[in-house]
Every structure is written in C-alpha cells, then in structure tokens.
Amino acid sequence: MKLNYLLSVLAFSWGSWCSAQCVQGDCQNGIGIYKYPSGARYEGQFNDNKINGIGILYLSNGDLFTGHWVNNYRQGKGKMSFHNGDQYSGEFSRSKIEGTGTMSFANGSRYSGEWKNNYPHGKGTYLYDHGEKYEGLFTEGLRQGFGKYFYNDGSSYDGQWSQNQREGSGLFTSHDGKKTNGVWQHDQLTNEISASNTNVINYPAASPTTVISNPNALINCNDNNCDGISGYYIFKDGSKYTGPFKNGNPYGQGILFYANGDRYEGEWDDVAPDGRGIMYFASGRVYAAIWDKGKPVKQLDQRIEIPKRNDIKVQSDDEIRIWPVIIGVARYEHMPALKYSDDDAYKIYAFMKSPEGGAIPDNQIKLLIDEDATRVNIIDALQEQFGKADENDMVMVYYSGHGVSGSLLPIDFDGYNNKLYHDEIVQIMESSKAKHKLCLIDACYAGGMNDAKADYTTSINRFYNQLNQEKGGTAMILSCKSREVSLEDSGLRQGIFSHFLIRGLKGEADENRNKIVSVQELFNFINTRVRSYTLNTQNPEIDGQYNPSMPVAWIRN
C-alpha cells in the first residue's frame, strides 16, 4: 500500500519557483499567473512577491493542485488530482501531503485519516476496492500497530499488525461469531489462548484448522442452502444480494445491487427490504425510509429548525458591498465522492477575489470546502453574511456538491440527517436586507428551488455604480431541472454548469459588449452552452423575482 506520488507532489524545488515568469496580472500583491520552464502554470493569489493565498497549479504531467499556499508552498487545505485518476483532498505542509485527508483511488479504494511525508501515518481507515476495510494505525503507508480488519465473509481480526501482517496478540472473530484469541506470527495463528487465559494451545505454523485459507470468499447461496451465515445470491435479472441469510433467504443487514445500477443498503427479511434502510438510485437520488416487505412506510427525513440569530448587526452605511458564501463538497462519506466540486468552489472564490468579480476583501467572503461545509456551518455562514448586508448591498451563495429532490447535501449528510433544504436557503436569503440576491447552485435536482491597470479603478467603480442604480431582486440560477442530474466532465475537469458559469462571469456572457455581465446575460450563456454540451440532458433554470439587468461581473478593457 505504499504510495508513489513523491515526484508529482514534490515536483517543484526553489529553483523552479525562481525560474518562473509572471505572464499576466499582479504577481506581487494581487491575482496573477506564473508560467514555468517545465510547462506548468500557477493561477491565483500573490503577496510579497510570493504565492500566498488560494491558487491552482497545473503540472506538466496532468496533475492539478487547488488550495492554500504560504510562501510558495502548498500549505493548509487543498486538493490534488492526479493524472491517473486518483484524488487527494485534505491538508498539506510545505508541499507534502501531511495532516489529515482522504485519498480516493481510481480503482475504488479509499484511505481517510492521518498523513506524514506523503504516506498514511497514524490513525486512519482504508476501504479496499474489494469491499474489505481496515481501521487502525499506519506507519509509512503500512498497517502497523493496533488495528481491526473486516473481511468480506463477515469475519474480523482485532489486534496487532506489522508490515501489513497480523503480528502479536489479536482476536479473530469468524462470520458465525466464533472467537479465537491468540498470538500471531507472519499472518498466521501460532498460539491460541483460552477464554480463561490459562491454557495455551500450540499449533504448527501452517495448521489448516487455524488459518483462514481464503477469508475474501463469500458462499454462493444460489448453489448452497445458506442458513445463519453470510453469502451472496444472484437473481434472474442480474441483481446481486450480499449479506446474512436465514433459512435460505436474505435476513439482517445486507446490500442489494440492482441490475439497473440502483443499490439498497439496510435491513432485510425474506426477499425484500424490511426495516431501516437507504435506497441509492443510479440517478444520484437517495431515499432513506422504514420499509415493510419492500415498500417504504415512513420516510426518514429529520429536519432541524434553523434557530434565529440576534447577534448579527447590519453594517449600515452608504458603501456598496458584496457578501458571498462559496460552498464546495466532494469528500462524502455516505455518498459517492465527487471529483471537481471543491475545485469549482475554489475557482469561484478566486474569481470573486479578482477585480472582475468585485475584488471582495477577505472579511466579506466565506469559503466552506469539504469538512468545513457541515449543515450547521453553512447555515451559520449564510446567516452571518446575509445578516450583515444593508439595503445597498448584494448577497450571493454558490454551492457545488450532491443534491437530492428538495435539498442539498452538506458533508455531514449521513443518509438520514443533515440535509439543507432549498426553502431554508431561500428563507435566509429573503430575510436579508440586501438589494440584490444571487443564488448559484450546481447540484442534482437543483431545479427544485423553482490586464490594463490604468482603468482598473474606473471600471470597478462603474460595476459598483451599476449595482447601486439597478432595481433590486432575487435571482436563482440552477444547474438543472428538478428531476435531472448535474453532470461532471473529466475532459473539462469541472462540473459542466460551473465550467460555463466561470467562463460567463469572465466575459463570454457579455452579449451587448458593454463590459458588464448581467444576470440575464449570464443565464442565457450558461443555458445555451450547458444544453449544447450535454445534448439537452441537463437544462439549467433561472427563477425568482429578479432584475434582468442586475450586474454580476465586469470586464477589463
């Protein structure tokens, strides 16, 4: 399980930074672009003539880093997308993967936990592509120390490890509940200790009575009458059940992989879901319920009421301000991980910090990525930002992540709890005193919410003056209709909606060439391009009582 990312993660030395050239923007104290002799490119924030802040590094081998920088080092939270399809999201230290984070491998495996010097090191959980799991300690990428391993057949080992092998004292529990406590050497049981810890039984190193010859194998219950054991059963239509059986039928906590791509995880009785369980539809929809003989009888949908905030003061004055909340969630634990939603959020953040996006200062913008994007944190950020806005201001929320019918899914969505409902977002927006309100949602079922410095100052003032002059309103631009899926694209390395959103904001949406992008121009551009790119399978929508001329970006001459 050693990881071989050292060359790409540590691709740049100090010499590489020194040989870089600034080709656009302000590479001393602003937003700019560096290019390197190797062909790599950095786009983002600079301070004191060094890379500091949020930025994106495009490596020449196809790898991509998006996240925080300190003095030319990747430092803090970020995301690394490798050209082989692997994805890391978490903490960095001096350009190394170090701290806590998650690596999602292209083969379906995933490690989440502590890292040091680019390797899993410390406490963590490794989910293997074949379905087995290890929870415990790692040293330089290897299982080392105490940990627990869960096998596919329902058995488990809880004890000491060395160099990925069971080594030392440990407890093995078979799929039928039988427990074997003993001492292990080179992955094999050598001494079994009785329950009273008084009798030690010595076994030969290769004793077939104590070594599990193939712990990965599940019993084929099509050919065997399974009772009181775990196995698998394949139905005539190709659907496959894995889990425990009783009297030849699925019983207990199991998983059914439907032939059409749907998946049910939960309790079973006989041949149907029975009890608490979650249905994961191939479309991306998730439905949690109490089931009775295959039919949902009670939806498990616990909504937590949003508490009112009395501690937020409106910042009333004549100045025009923009208050954005930018949210990106990719590292889901109870949903399929997304590849680009956190990248998209970073890119929107970088745009809002740029002059074209309003040159918004740090104290007016909230960025919530992955573990920071919990339901509570999102609600707090929306309430704080939108509550500060006065009648001259503009509030904005951008979200990229999973969505289900009627709601968005924060990072702490567990299949049952912590949804963020569309009407909750609208409620917070409508309670704001802001003149202009803009909502940009890139999620499945989103439609359910029915370089010339000389004229920089002049142009950005014109943008804010336009905000002041235009009639207010609320506009919601949504990535797709209420029953559609919002798509990501490997070629674009982005969500399709967010890709064209950013292109439109940067100027391509300026239909009348007046150097101001209006909300209607932005939607027209996104709608046309997304529908064309997806062959009309994804259809953006715009809703709300909004002024079509509301400015959302300006363009440099």
Side-chain angles (χ1 to χ4, degrees):
M1 198 178 64
K2 289 270 189 178
L3 305 179
N4 298 312
Y5 299 123
L6 289 173
L7 290 178
S8 56
V9 174
L10 304 175
F12 285 92
S13 65
W14 276 105
S16 298
W17 295 121
C18 295
S19 60
Q21 292 185 343
C22 183
V23 297
Q24 185 177 332
D26 183 356
C27 298
Q28 291 186 341
N29 293 287
I31 304 290
I33 298 177
Y34 260 175
K35 282 195 175 180
Y36 303 89
S38 65
R41 185 177 83 257
Y42 168 82
E43 298 180 2
Q45 294 177 295
F46 292 81
N47 188 32
D48 292 334
N49 204 27
K50 293 180 180 179
I51 295 178
N52 279 293
I54 300 289
I56 304 172
L57 177 66
Y58 301 87
L59 290 134
S60 56
N61 67 351
D63 293 349
L64 172 70
F65 171 81
T66 306
H68 292 261
W69 298 75
V70 176
N71 295 333
N72 292 338
Y73 285 108
R74 283 159 273 185
Q75 185 80 23
K77 294 178 181 178
K79 178 177 178 180
M80 195 83 186
S81 299
F82 297 91
H83 62 276
N84 66 351
D86 296 345
Q87 300 266 346
Y88 171 79
S89 183
E91 295 178 327
F92 290 77
S93 178
R94 295 182 68 83
S95 291
K96 293 181 179 181
I97 296 176
E98 198 156 293
T100 59
T102 297
M103 182 77 78
S104 298
F105 299 93
N107 68 356
S109 298
R110 183 174 65 179
Y111 170 80
S112 183
E114 297 176 338
W115 294 76
K116 185 177 181 180
N117 198 27
N118 299 316
Y119 292 110
H121 193 94
K123 293 181 180 179
T125 299
Y126 201 107
L127 301 174
Y128 297 89
D129 60 317
H130 49 70
E132 297 182 343
K133 180 173 70 171
Y134 172 81
E135 296 178 346
L137 296 176
F138 292 83
T139 298
E140 294 186 351
L142 300 175
R143 298 190 294 272
Q144 185 92 8
F146 282 95
K148 188 170 184 177
Y149 196 99
F150 300 86
Y151 299 96
N152 272 336
D153 66 347
S155 61
S156 64
Y157 170 82
D158 190 357
Q160 292 178 303
W161 294 79
S162 178
Q163 300 288 309
N164 277 349
Q165 293 186 332
R166 293 170 288 188
E167 189 80 21
S169 61
L171 174 66
F172 182 85
T173 304
S174 65
H175 61 81
D176 59 1
K178 181 182 177 182
K179 296 182 183 297
T180 303
N181 191 23
V183 178
W184 304 72
Q185 291 182 356
H186 304 300
D187 216 33
Q188 297 177 352
L189 179 66
T190 57
N191 295 321
E192 181 178 340
I193 303 173
S194 68
S196 62
N197 289 324
T198 57
N199 297 321
V200 178
I201 307 171
N202 294 318
Y203 287 102
S207 171
T209 61
T210 60
V211 178
I212 307 300
S213 60
N214 186 8
N216 299 334
L218 284 173
I219 296 175
N220 183 345
C221 295
N222 291 83
D223 300 329
N224 298 277
N225 184 22
C226 296
D227 185 15
I229 59 175
S230 294
Y232 71 88
Y233 185 91
I234 300 176
F235 295 88
K236 291 182 179 179
D237 66 348
S239 300
K240 180 180 179 180
Y241 168 85
T242 62
F245 285 76
K246 182 178 180 180
N247 298 324
N249 294 320
Y251 181 84
Q253 196 78 19
I255 304 174
L256 180 65
F257 299 89
Y258 291 90
N260 65 355
D262 296 343
R263 183 177 86 255
Y264 170 84
E265 296 185 13
E267 297 176 331
W268 287 79
D269 192 0
D270 200 5
V271 290
D274 197 276
R276 184 183 292 262
I278 307 172
M279 183 71 76
Y280 298 88
F281 294 93
S283 64
R285 181 189 174 203
V286 179
Y287 185 82
I290 301 293
W291 304 76
D292 182 19
K293 295 184 171 64
K295 295 181 179 180
V297 294
K298 181 182 179 182
Q299 182 177 355
L300 297 174
D301 199 357
Q302 300 179 19
R303 178 182 298 209
I304 302 173
E305 293 298 325
I306 299 176
K308 292 184 178 181
R309 296 283 299 273
N310 299 317
D311 59 328
I312 304 171
K313 295 182 179 180
V314 177
Q315 296 193 9
S316 298
D317 51 40
D318 294 333
E319 185 177 349
I320 300 170
R321 295 184 177 90
I322 302 174
W323 301 91
V325 176
I326 300 169
I327 306 156
V329 189
R331 289 169 45 192
Y332 287 93
E333 292 292 331
H334 298 275
M335 293 287 290
L338 295 172
K339 292 183 178 181
Y340 309 118
S341 54
D342 47 356
D343 285 348
D344 291 339
Y346 278 122
K347 290 174 181 177
I348 290 291
Y349 173 85
F351 175 79
M352 301 302 294
K353 295 286 292 181
S354 72
E356 293 85 350
I360 301 170
D362 290 339
N363 62 353
Q364 286 178 213
I365 191 167
K366 290 280 189 180
L367 177 65
L368 301 175
I369 302 293
D370 284 331
E371 61 266 22
D372 291 332
T374 64
R375 172 183 162 86
V376 170
N377 285 353
I378 293 173
I379 290 172
D380 284 347
L382 292 173
Q383 288 180 317
E384 289 175 9
Q385 292 290 92
F386 297 178
K388 293 176 183 177
D390 68 8
E391 293 82 354
N392 300 314
D393 295 347
M394 178 179 187
V395 297
M396 189 205 87
V397 57
Y398 168 86
Y399 171 89
S400 181
H402 275 304
V404 294
S405 182
S407 62
L408 308 178
L409 303 183
I411 190 70
D412 55 345
F413 171 71
D414 62 2
Y416 302 98
N417 306 306
N418 297 323
K419 293 179 183 177
L420 182 63
Y421 293 88
H422 294 167
D423 59 355
E424 292 177 322
I425 298 173
V426 173
Q427 175 187 340
I428 296 173
M429 289 187 71
E430 292 303 318
S431 66
S432 173
K433 296 180 179 294
K435 180 179 181 181
H436 301 286
K437 300 166 185 177
L438 179 62
C439 184
L440 304 168
I441 303 296
D442 189 357
C444 297
Y445 309 100
M449 295 189 74
N450 258 24
D451 287 313
K453 288 190 178 179
D455 62 2
Y456 160 75
T457 302
T458 302
S459 298
I460 197 169
N461 284 341
R462 184 160 62 89
F463 170 66
Y464 277 100
N465 287 337
Q466 186 100 8
L467 269 176
N468 188 38
Q469 294 169 13
E470 294 294 343
K471 180 182 177 181
T474 301
M476 295 180 288
I477 300 180
L478 315 169
S479 62
C480 58
K481 294 183 182 294
S482 60
R483 295 183 181 275
E484 293 179 346
V485 176
S486 192
L487 303 172
E488 292 186 320
D489 184 84
S490 298
L492 299 176
R493 296 182 76 105
Q494 279 187 274
I496 295 172
F497 171 84
S498 291
H499 173 79
F500 289 111
L501 166 65
I502 293 170
R503 283 177 53 177
L505 288 170
K506 287 185 174 181
E508 292 187 49
D510 183 21
E511 296 176 12
N512 59 14
R513 304 297 182 223
N514 68 344
K515 303 298 181 181
I516 296 287
V517 177
S518 71
V519 69
Q520 191 64 54
E521 286 177 323
L522 180 62
F523 173 73
N524 292 344
F525 175 81
I526 294 170
N527 186 43
T528 300
R529 298 304 178 92
V530 170
R531 291 179 63 191
S532 175
Y533 197 91
T534 64
L535 301 178
N536 294 324
T537 59
Q538 182 175 334
N539 297 273
E541 289 188 333
I542 188 167
D543 200 0
Q545 300 295 321
Y546 65 95
N547 175 13
S549 300
M550 178 198 301
V552 292
W554 68 276
I555 304 165
R556 299 196 205 195
N557 294 326

